[in-house]
Amino acid sequence: LNEQLKRDISFILSRKVRDPRVGSVLVTEARLSSDHSVARVFVRSMSQDVGVNEVMAGLAAAAPFAR
């Protein structure tokens, strides 16, 4: 289930979210809680041009869309 969640989030971020701050994000891992109510998603920025704070702001802005 964690791998499927990782693939789904990767797809949403790469194909559906149009924020340039999120375009270079690689989802490295996803962990779903035992009751499936919370997911922790680990990401890595592949861009040298976008800072960590900018990437995190882009992900925060995209979170409601990804839910």
Side-chain angles (χ1 to χ4, degrees):
L1 200 53
N2 290 332
E3 283 300 314
Q4 183 63 45
L5 180 64
K6 177 182 163 184
R7 284 191 298 271
D8 290 347
I9 293 172
S10 295
F11 176 80
I12 290 169
L13 292 177
S14 66
R15 303 272 162 66
K16 302 290 184 184
V17 176
R18 304 226 185 267
D19 191 328
R21 299 173 293 182
V22 178
S24 62
V25 170
L26 173 68
V27 178
T28 59
E29 186 175 353
R31 295 182 191 162
L32 198 56
S33 65
S34 60
D35 65 354
H36 298 200
S37 64
V38 177
R40 181 170 286 199
V41 179
F42 298 86
V43 297
R44 169 178 275 170
S45 176
M46 302 304 288
S47 174
Q48 300 293 331
D49 301 333
V50 181
V52 173
N53 292 334
E54 288 180 69
V55 170
M56 294 308 292
L59 289 171
F65 175 76
R67 289 176 194 228

